[in-house]
Amino acid sequence: IQRDGSVDDGLARMQVIRELNPLLSALAVEAQARFVDLTPRLLDEDGGVRADLLPDALHFSRGGYQVWADALR
């Protein structure tokens, strides 16, 4: 819930993330670093953030941290 009382479904934020991730990936290549895009693993079939993994749409749950750890392997 936003300060103004509206509910943030995260969809607008996800669009920004989808636009930024290719740029971050390119920067990682230049820096010889590894970029891991967790987005596909964190979204439900409607493109929204999975509530079981990010209950407040910001912080990982235990399951969210497990998804992250699995992606790094």
Side-chain angles (χ1 to χ4, degrees):
I1 299 177
Q2 302 298 304
R3 289 184 180 153
D4 66 2
S6 65
V7 175
D8 178 8
D9 63 8
L11 295 178
R13 190 174 329 131
M14 289 312 307
Q15 182 58 39
V16 172
I17 290 170
R18 284 187 191 96
E19 293 171 7
L20 287 176
N21 278 345
L23 301 172
L24 294 172
S25 181
L27 285 173
V29 169
E30 289 179 29
Q32 298 180 342
R34 180 177 175 202
F35 175 76
V36 179
D37 183 1
L38 296 177
T39 307
R41 296 171 176 93
L42 300 176
L43 301 182
D44 62 23
E45 54 276 349
D46 296 325
V49 175
R50 287 181 47 189
D52 62 317
L53 301 178
L54 291 109
D56 63 359
L58 180 61
H59 300 96
F60 284 140
S61 65
R62 173 171 270 168
Y65 280 110
Q66 188 61 58
V67 167
W68 186 11
D70 292 344
L72 294 176
R73 292 189 179 124

